[in-house]
Amino acid sequence: MKPLFPLAAASLLIVSAAQAQTRTVTGQVVSADKAEALPGVTVVVKGTTNGASTDTEGNFTVQVADKQEATLIVSYLGYARQELVVRPDQTRVEIKLAPETASLEDVVVIGYGTVKKRDLTGAVTSVKGEEVTKLPVTTITEALQGKIPGADISRANGYAGQGASIRIRGNRSIANPGSSNNVLYIVDGVQNVNAADIDPNDVQSIEVLKDASSTSIYGSRGANGVIIITTKRGATGKPKINFNAYSGITKVAGYGEFMSGPEWVDFRREAFRAAGTWNSPADDAVAFTPQQREAIANQEYINWPDQLLHTGMQQNYQVGLSGGSENTKVYFSLGYYDEKGLMKLDRFKRYTTRANIDQTVNKWLKVGVQTQLAYINNDIRRDPFNLASQAIPLGRAYDDEGRLNFRLLGSTQINPLADEQPGVYDRNTKTNRFTAAAYVELTPLDGLSFRSMFAANYATSEAGNFFGLNTIDGAGNRSQASITNNQSRNLSWENILTYKKDVGDHSLTLTGVGSHLVFVNTSSFAGGQNQVLPSQSFYNLGAANQNPFFGSGYTRNNLISFAGRVNYSWKGRYLLTFTTRADGSSKLAPGQKWAYFPSAGLGWRLIDESFMQGLKFMTELKLRGSYGVSGNDGINPYGTQNSLTATQFAYLDANAAPTYTISPTIGNQDLTWEKTYTTDVGVDFGFFDNRLTGTVDYYDAQTRDLIFPYTLPAFTGVTTVNRNIGRTRNRGWEVSLTSQNLRGESLSWSTTLTYARNRETIVELPNGNVIADDYRNSLIVGQPAQVYYDYVKTGIWQLGEEAEAAQYGAGVFQPGDIKVADISGPDGVPDGRITAADRRVIGSRVPKWTGGLSNDVRYKGFDLNMLLVARVGQWISSDYYAKYSRTGNVNGARVDYWTPENPTNEYPRPHATRTLSYITTLTEREASWAKVRNVTLGYTISKGVVGKAKIDNVRVYVSGRNLYTLSNLKDFDPEGEGVIDRPLNRAYVVGLNVGF
């Protein structure tokens, strides 16, 4: 027993010595705005892992070094982080945490760095993570709608999992407006990450870079704007767990009505009456088949679109864990999103996981990794609506035995429900997208840092497609099975050298960047017809033993870049940013690969000038101006090279032999970069202690050397060549205003208004001022790139106008036909003929202005958010309005058509034998709209209640999306542009947010 005594004595001495070296500090943490106790606040002694969390009354106790000064780090979600110094003799502290609010000291993420909001010289809009999660949305882009002036965001597709599209300050390129004007997404410094894979609950902040001063650091990659997404990182203190979930239903938001059975019968009879072969129901034999007449007699009518549309479902679950010590910080999350669309066989499931780890090794070395994995399982429905909109609304979908009537009433028309039958149709795409990045950050000297990051984006997709014999595609003739595999590997290595130095009134930041991006894409496909066992779907292609087909593809391109930036300020009052970047693209020809993109931005903080100090009502005023160049190498890899295409050739009766021909698109070794030169002037202001804040920007962006696939004469033997053909110009205004209407402790109310007006014009085209393909794809000098160039419908020829109609030729027009304007002949004046010279610009798909209005109201534990958005001045060419068959052989849209008894000017008269000219003029409509995009009502349970269960916060909410639309178009949701195969939805969800 003796040996134990010395050990026990030594232990007691060590404990006593330790106790003698520390002292106890107690305190309470309350909110600065409401003076309420804050439970669950993390309090850590700086430089140690020693810390505590406040109880339900906001109280805490920590041990600090005795007789020494200590610093407490206090952090809490939704409140500004605070560091508090405790004196050597102090044992009690009272801490007031201020809510996080936008301030001039907020740090804004810009390209390859950060800057305080007060020092910005470019047009940058910042959105915090809590703004993103206010709305239960599918993708991050949807959450930005109405919040970013100059960002035109809309959702035109209602299929499961589909997000919104975005354009920043309009379209610059004209080669392919749908893709060549896409913005660049940067996620935690990594390019080419698919933003749709990111759970909105993982977002810390989003910055939208719009002018050349802010985007030119990305050179050709940033020509169409940049969206920088920063995800959440770990924080010092005890682990924090957040659980977020919502679930609800979706309904169709607005879908055009088609003729009912009786309406179609009347239409068909009128068509034959106009042809002179029908006078009464006794003549129905000339207009209807025996099966159709039987269905009419039995009043067997059916609405096919209604048979296809059902109630959908959405649910989303996410759990996030963050924590760490002073040296190690970890954030980890898991997410699951599931949406069942408005139709059967339309389903989207997304599984995501993210891990961000940051490790401080010592004072001069920091390392970290970040990973994101997304797995998507998407069942995709083949469009049945084009068929359903034309299917005759007579008969029954199923027979008396419950079997599908594949052919409708003995005709060739296929039942639109054919693909919904068990085992006959399967179209599924499984996608894996993995992003991994590792960085090393060195700070060898004070103010000098070097960061090297290697990132890899790897994506694979397997798209299988099977349709059986009795399906819409099979049409009773064939079955087919196929698989397409795609892989993309995008690698990036970026090195960033940053030096910061403050000397007196001077502040300088120098940034240098070296970047190497590699893009590799491979693809393969295989398939065949006559799948022996339909139950094998596309999983056994060997059993599809007829007409096999297969192929593969490969592309690769590199982008090497060098960039430098200088940020300088004097007295924090006069600001300068200068940037230059050089990009080398392997897609362009030798001698054309490199381009240079400089920019400069100036800022003047007038509010800090002495002559402004007497204006007490003004709390912020800054002028900004910038000019710069960005670029675009918007062609496919190898697009400047000549290539060969394999084909078969036979002469007389000889067997075909493999040979090669020149590809339809020939190379152009002179093709150079498309460049945009942008000027931006802006002002940031605040009044009445920032009760009213805002920004106003004017910009002018001129794009030169537009890259365009120019059509060549047929005698050349090829079809197109990529050329630099002309110039475009975008200019407009952007306004953002935020007012703090009420700032009470129990009641607060804030309003944010955004407005943007953009004018797109084509300034120059080669060989004249019009390149016209068809009425939807024409390029005209002085107009936007997306216009409708068509004949001008002035109405319908009426009774009594026969003589005027005859002037255009005998039998060309008669009462009931579409009347179009005779505007101009070859000599520029009306010539009594309707020719191509009579076409005019009807309207543009580009809106005249977009806007958003958001209101946030808080009353005690309740919060209410209402978001309104508007898109005004754009035109559409609607598929719905084109669903008009003059003969009545098929069904069509429910419209107001001409008859002698109903002399309308809307739609022409049905006619069984007369063709219909100028039908495209029926489709073009002005389609302005304003929407109640979202209304969310939430309630946060008192911390005093949930704190007893060791829960930091609990919020429940109900939300409605796409609730109401104001528009002159009443037939469908105009945001979907009247495309009948992708109806938009309206959602109603219930959600829960819990923090531990």
Side-chain angles (χ1 to χ4, degrees), residues 66 203 374-375 454 522 568 796 809 933:
D66 192 23
V203 175
Y375 168 68
F454 178 81
T522 60
Y568 169 78
I796 303 295
R933 170 60 74 197

Side-chain angles (χ1 to χ4, degrees), residues 304 387 391 394 396-399 402-421 424-425 467-479:
W304 292 107
L387 184 63
L394 302 179
R396 297 188 298 167
Y398 299 89
D399 62 19
R403 294 171 298 196
L404 183 82
N405 291 320
F406 182 65
R407 299 287 184 183
L408 301 180
L409 297 178
S411 69
T412 59
Q413 288 187 333
I414 297 173
N415 192 320
L417 305 179
D419 291 351
E420 295 184 359
Q421 308 315 299
V424 301
Y425 184 88
F467 57 82
L469 186 69
N470 291 326
T471 57
I472 296 175
D473 288 321
N477 301 318
R478 63 190 175 102
S479 65

Side-chain angles (χ1 to χ4, degrees), residues 790-793 818 820 917-925:
D790 204 354
Y791 299 94
V792 179
K793 175 177 173 286
I818 296 175
V820 295
S917 301
Y918 312 110
I919 188 173
T920 58
T921 64
L922 300 174
T923 70
E924 296 146 357
R925 308 291 175 95

Side-chain angles (χ1 to χ4, degrees), residues 28 53 114 126 213 223 238 548 605 643 653 693 711 748:
Q28 185 185 33
S53 294
T114 60
S126 182
S213 176
K238 75 163 190 174
R605 290 187 49 78
S643 59
D653 294 329
T693 59
T711 302
S748 65

Side-chain angles (χ1 to χ4, degrees), residues 768-781:
N769 67 344
V770 177
I771 299 177
D773 292 327
D774 62 35
Y775 77 104
R776 290 183 176 181
N777 297 289
S778 295
L779 303 177
I780 303 171
V781 170

Side-chain angles (χ1 to χ4, degrees), residues 767-814:
N767 304 326
N769 67 344
V770 177
I771 299 177
D773 292 327
D774 62 35
Y775 77 104
R776 290 183 176 181
N777 297 289
S778 295
L779 303 177
I780 303 171
V781 170
Q783 298 292 334
Q786 296 174 296
V787 297
Y788 301 114
Y789 185 60
D790 204 354
Y791 299 94
V792 179
K793 175 177 173 286
T794 59
I796 303 295
W797 287 103
Q798 302 293 332
L799 294 172
E801 295 181 329
E802 291 86 351
E804 182 183 351
Q807 296 177 8
Y808 295 95
V812 175
F813 298 112
Q814 65 183 32

Side-chain angles (χ1 to χ4, degrees), residues 654-682:
N655 293 329
T659 186
Y660 294 89
T661 64
I662 297 177
S663 295
T665 298
I666 64 170
N668 179 3
Q669 295 290 297
D670 294 324
L671 188 74
T672 188
W673 288 80
E674 179 179 298
K675 291 186 177 181
T676 300
Y677 303 78
T678 303
T679 302
D680 186 285
V681 178

Side-chain angles (χ1 to χ4, degrees), residues 589-665:
Q592 308 292 344
K593 294 183 181 296
W594 285 91
Y596 301 90
F597 307 103
S599 73
L602 298 173
W604 180 19
R605 290 187 49 78
L606 276 80
I607 194 65
D608 292 337
E609 298 288 358
S610 59
F611 59 79
M612 295 291 295
Q613 302 310 305
L615 302 178
K616 301 299 183 182
F617 66 91
M618 181 165 283
T619 48
E620 170 61 13
L621 183 62
K622 180 173 71 174
L623 298 181
R624 295 178 282 104
S626 68
Y627 178 81
V629 184
S630 56
N632 196 343
D633 61 346
I635 58 170
N636 294 325
Y638 324 117
T640 61
Q641 305 174 22
N642 292 320
S643 59
L644 299 176
T645 300
T647 186
Q648 300 289 320
F649 177 77
Y651 181 71
L652 297 178
D653 294 329
N655 293 329
T659 186
Y660 294 89
T661 64
I662 297 177
S663 295
T665 298

